[in-house]
Amino acid sequence: MWIKNTKSQIENFISMKMCKECAECCKNYPLIRLSKNEINSLELFTGLHFGIPINSKGIAYEGYLLQFKENGDCFFLNENNGNYSCDVYEVRPEICKKYPSNLRQQEACVLNREKLFS
């Protein structure tokens, strides 16, 4: 059965491809605040204790922040031959689900799309 693609379906496909090849939003992001519910979801999904992927030390914020690797990548971001994936995509934090949520983030996505697909 053939289904005609709508513009939004095509844009979603491009965005997904772009995200797999870009992942800039998962690199060097300053602060990913996590709620207790998000921590619980991550713990249940990964089997990790919250002390592993969470960092609440040394930052003037009362709560929990997602830990990043030494190279600046999100703790759960993986790279394989230039393609990126998220180990916790199904239970990723709300801030990740909503990205890009503001004009600056949307503009960054457009610029990255142009770089990748030009």
Side-chain angles (χ1 to χ4, degrees):
M1 180 171 139
W2 185 77
I3 300 173
K4 183 179 178 183
N5 284 331
T6 65
K7 184 177 180 183
S8 64
Q9 288 171 322
I10 292 169
E11 286 173 358
N12 286 341
F13 174 75
I14 292 170
S15 295
M16 289 171 47
K17 181 174 175 34
M18 182 188 82
C19 292
K20 289 178 184 178
E21 294 179 10
C22 178
E24 285 301 316
C25 57
C26 303
K27 302 173 186 175
N28 300 305
Y29 208 89
L31 299 173
I32 302 294
R33 294 178 178 95
L34 300 172
S35 70
K36 187 61 177 160
N37 287 339
E38 289 172 328
I39 292 168
N40 290 337
S41 293
L42 288 168
E43 285 180 326
L44 288 171
F45 189 80
T46 64
L48 296 173
H49 180 270
F50 79 88
I52 295 173
I54 309 304
N55 179 6
S56 62
K57 301 176 196 165
I59 296 173
Y61 173 74
E62 290 189 28
Y64 298 98
L65 301 170
L66 189 61
Q67 185 178 39
F68 281 71
K69 299 174 189 173
E70 284 186 32
N71 68 358
D73 289 357
C74 173
F75 185 83
F76 298 111
L77 180 66
N78 289 306
E79 188 271 333
N80 185 11
N81 294 324
N83 287 306
Y84 294 92
S85 63
C86 174
D87 282 344
V88 294
Y89 188 82
E90 294 86 353
V91 296
R92 67 197 184 281
E94 199 63 32
I95 191 170
C96 302
K97 289 176 184 175
K98 291 181 178 179
Y99 192 93
S101 63
N102 62 46
L103 185 59
R104 190 177 127 257
Q105 292 171 349
Q106 291 168 4
E107 289 171 349
C109 281
V110 169
L111 290 173
N112 287 329
R113 180 184 299 172
E114 289 171 358
K115 281 193 290 187
L116 286 169
F117 297 110
S118 59

